[in-house]
Amino acid sequence: MSAASAAPEGQAGRIWKRFRRHRLALAGGFVVALLLASALFAPFLSPQDPTLLDTALRFRPPFADWRFPLGTDELGRDTLSRLLFGGRVSLTVGLVAMITTVMTGALIGITAGFIGGIVDTLLMRFVDTMLCFPQVFLLLVVAAFVPPTLLSISLVIGLTSWMEVSRIVRAEILHLKEQDFVAAARALGASRARIMFRELLPNAAAPILVAATLKVASAVLMESYISYLGYGVQPPLASWGNMLTNAQGYFDTVPWLAILPGVAITLTVVGFNFLGDGLRDALDPRLRMDP
Amino acid sequence: MIGFVLRRLLQAIPLLIGGTLIGFGLMQLAPGGPLAIYTLNPTIQVQDIERIKIIFGLDQPIHLQYVKWATGLFSGNWGYTFFGGRPVLDVILERLPATLLLMGSALSVAIVLGLSVGVLGAVKRYSVFDVLATTGALFALSFPTFWFGLMAIFIFAIQLRWLPSGGMWELGEEGNILSLLQHLVLPTMVLALVITATWSRYSRSAFLEVLHQDFMRTARAKGMPPVARLLRHAFPNAAKPLIALLGVELPFLFSGALVAETIFGWPGMGRLFVDALGMKEYPVLMGLMMFTAIFVIIGNLLADIAIALVDPRVRLS
Amino acid sequence: MSEPLLRVTGLEVHFPIRSALLRQRIGMVRAVDGVNLEVARGETLALVGESGCGKTTTGKAILRLIDPTGGSVRFGGEDIAKHGSRALAPFRKRMQIVFQDPYASLNPRMSVGGILAAPFEIHRIGDAKDRGERVAELLRTVGLPPEAARRYPHEFSGGQRQRIGIARALALRPELVIGDEPVSALDVSIQAQIINLMKRLQAELGLAYIMISHNLAVVSHVADRVAVMYLGRVVETAPREALFFDARHPYTQALLSAVPEPIPGRHRARQAPRGDVPSPARPPSGCHFHPRCPIAIARCSQEAPEARIIGPGHAVACHLVTP
Ligand SMILES: Nc1ncnc2c1ncn2[C@@H]1O[C@H](COP(=O)(O)OP(=O)(O)O)[C@@H](O)[C@H]1O
Ligand code: SF4
Ligand SMILES: [Mg+2]
């Protein structure tokens, strides 16, 4: 990814111009920036301690009390503070899972594409096989087998969703490795590792960056779902997913408890998806799918 | 054609073997290992476990264990549940119809809706409708389905009281088709949301591709009316990627069904999966994993064959 | 006579053709089908033939960028045709290549400085500072300013890129450089500059060149000797003058007649090549040229002609050419 930012100025300018035309992507990028900032500065933005309970202050409605701008939950905890800290958790899991996904997918894709032959066949059959299992099934089974920590949740999500990335990277490498600059590196006696990681990988940065952005979206979605089911982030640590689990019980009386975390999840996923779509159009017009 | 089917069948074998290897590998990850299936089962005695160990060869080297387990899968011996000791395959098959009903109804809705939106978008590219539809599809793909389900319950079941909030029948009305249909609406809506979005995106791009080809221009030049052009020429040519999508989508359909079934208490395989997860019914979990994987492999095989029927060129390659 | 710098004997590169589905071998592309070549220190051998006759593949097989399926490649007296990557390492410094396409041959994601430092990094020569100086020196050698190191390939013109490609090939002080049509993708006005640069560098550094070209006119300025290829085989090898004024193989004669500017005094060819070049996947039997040869006899379709010496440094593979 550093290579994308290291891309020469003329190119970067063109990419920025194409990206700017994409209004939804700009909006997505704005939302993502806002979310990341609010997660980063959660301790300063939160009006309350998100873990502080006070049953005397249960079920405060939103906008009724300046101390609890978005109301309180069934234990009297401040909803806004919990959303902010929950966002921290959800985004952390999303980002770590994305890194896992991208690293695994890129490594397998580049190995399969570059080495080729039987290695390629075996790795791609492995990918095909992994894709036969519905991701939620795989995810839940493994999540149920390993003790849930933030790291294990992120790794499990990452390790069950790298297959697409490996296909994208492999296709890119197959195309790139026939180019003469790779032959030039081989003529100089470059090692396989050098060719794979110094020559080829930076050239696959654009599709990897796009996939990475989209993968944050799906990882946040997955985290919220398994946390909602109780196999992800464990209370008292708040995540948007497990906030929904509790809220479900008070649906008919205090619906905002369920509405707010859901809106947060949707905003995040929409933001990253739009950003990823815009990046795809800007970085690689070949991959373009929608106007 | 027969040769093609045989070749495709041959290609499915490594997938099946790979699938069983992954399933078996995951089982080793289970706390207590594969024996947990029996040691954690309160209804099985210690001496029985010893007997089972020998019967199943669990004292044998791991690769032999795998062979035993995998052959069991293909001969219908999928193990027994911890609680109740029922054959796992029976438990799964019992839940299959409910899941198939839900998936079928959602898929029908999604195909009809998604295809219409996609084709219309392709025909009127960059129109207001097209832009709204493609943006809407991206939104729909970004929705947390389970939250969408919760909101649907909140609005339609709790606030408006139009529809039941869960289950498959009202108590005492088992077999009543009207009751079944009422219960089917919300889960179908939730499951169809994402698939509709995918279908509209894919059919839009499939038709865009077809609409700009020479034979479409020729048909227009010959004065063929637009609807006839679409039906006679565009559909058959756009069908291929869409049939392929049908196969590729299967795992997502199962994932989505699991979500919808849990939210709405729909008594299908997804619900079974989440229940089994809560009860640590590892044999059922493994069984469901293998069942869906095999289902997906067969589904893809059928999609490939269907594509070959539509497009004879595929057979020859 | 002592061993030449490079001696290629019976070189073969056969690519398998595989079926789409089960990947079993269903045929062979005989891209290089028994090539013999020699290059002495400091000389320029031109390798000429129509597009698709196997020139690039021959060059890449000599450099071991493609594994030969047969024959030997003796470089400095050592057969490297079957060397593993470790045994090849020292030879990587001694042979280099300049590619045809100046756009595909430079990594678009690497600065020119990075591209030119790569040879030193790979062979662990010098430290970072030392490499910077070497890069600047290389750029100066090929007529580019040292500031070019900080820029990316797409900021340069085709000719400038080719200079960068030449600088990279020279970084490790090779003894042999293969130029695979190094100017054919450039504007005619630039071609002479690059050719002159390569000639100057040859004189300064004592390089041997194999100059690949599909155009006899281009090589007429640079070559000491010329080898003509047809469908994976060398059909005629001769010193430049002998080739242009006393070409003996019917194919060479046909090629010469197609050269636009006539070279005064040379023999007129009897006829330009008729028909299309057959596919190397199904080469004709016997002499590969026989379906297009204006003077073919019955024997030509049955027996492949051996190369025979017909004059000093002049060898021809044709049944009808005798000393
Ligand atoms: N990797 C490959 N696989 C199969 N066939 C190839 C490959 N590379 C080259 N060929 C074939 O070998 C023949 C010679 O190619 P090449 O050496 O590039 O010719 P030239 O450089 O003389 O134009 C051509 O017919 C080409 O199609
Ligand atoms: S050997 Fe026969 S076919 Fe080949 S060039 Fe000589 S005369 Fe022509
Ligand atoms: Mg070539």
Side-chain angles (χ1 to χ4, degrees), chain C residues 105-142:
Chain C
S105 58
L106 302 178
N107 188 338
R109 290 283 184 193
M110 243 188 223
S111 69
V112 170
I115 290 170
L116 293 182
F120 307 120
E121 287 169 18
I122 291 165
H123 292 276
R124 302 184 204 289
I125 297 169
D127 54 23
K129 181 170 159 289
D130 180 45
R131 285 172 195 160
E133 284 162 16
R134 284 169 188 263
V135 167
E137 169 71 26
L138 279 173
L139 285 168
R140 209 166 43 76
T141 313
V142 297

Side-chain angles (χ1 to χ4, degrees), chain B residues 10-156:
Chain B
L10 274 180
Q11 283 178 321
I13 290 173
L15 280 186
L16 276 174
I17 294 174
T20 55
L21 278 173
I22 291 175
F24 188 76
L26 277 178
M27 211 153 61
Q28 312 297 314
L29 260 185
L35 253 190
I37 291 170
Y38 303 101
T39 49
L40 298 185
N41 187 338
T43 64
I44 293 184
Q45 308 291 313
V46 180
Q47 57 266 41
D48 290 336
I49 290 175
E50 289 309 310
R51 208 159 43 78
I52 287 166
K53 254 191 179 175
I54 293 162
I55 291 173
F56 285 92
L58 285 172
D59 46 344
Q60 288 179 355
I62 191 128
H63 59 279
L64 289 182
Q65 288 184 37
Y66 163 74
V67 172
K68 274 260 159 65
W69 175 78
T71 45
L73 270 186
F74 291 103
S75 61
N77 176 6
W78 289 44
Y80 298 88
T81 62
F82 287 172
F83 301 98
R86 301 184 54 209
V88 166
L89 194 56
D90 289 2
V91 175
I92 294 174
L93 289 176
E94 217 169 78
R95 301 294 194 102
L96 185 60
T99 295
L100 288 185
L101 176 65
L102 176 59
M103 291 196 333
S105 100
L107 199 56
S108 322
V109 170
I111 291 177
V112 171
L113 215 65
L115 207 58
S116 329
V117 172
V119 173
L120 216 63
V123 173
K124 303 218 177 294
R125 177 148 66 146
Y126 302 141
S127 65
V128 176
F129 172 82
D130 183 36
V131 172
L132 282 181
T134 43
T135 312
L138 203 53
F139 257 108
L141 285 175
S142 308
F143 253 58
T145 340
F146 68 103
W147 181 68
F148 182 66
L150 292 176
M151 289 298 111
I153 293 178
F154 176 64
I155 295 169
F156 296 104

Side-chain angles (χ1 to χ4, degrees), chain A residues 45-67:
Chain A
L45 298 172
S46 298
Q48 305 288 334
D49 176 347
T51 54
L52 196 68
L53 357 150
D54 185 348
T55 39
L57 292 167
R58 300 169 70 198
F59 298 133
R60 285 294 162 104
F63 312 123
D65 185 338
W66 59 267
R67 286 174 303 164

Side-chain angles (χ1 to χ4, degrees), chain C residues 15-16 29 31 49-58 180-181 212 280:
Chain C
F15 295 110
V29 178
E50 284 164 287
S51 178
C53 72
K55 306 179 297 293
T56 297
T57 309
T58 303
D180 184 3
E181 313 211 25
I212 293 175

Side-chain angles (χ1 to χ4, degrees), chain A residues 265-285:
Chain A
I265 299 167
T266 312
L267 263 182
T268 311
V269 181
V270 169
F272 277 102
N273 274 343
F274 281 13
L275 181 63
D277 236 43
L279 281 177
R280 168 163 46 209
D281 292 355
L283 290 173
D284 195 349

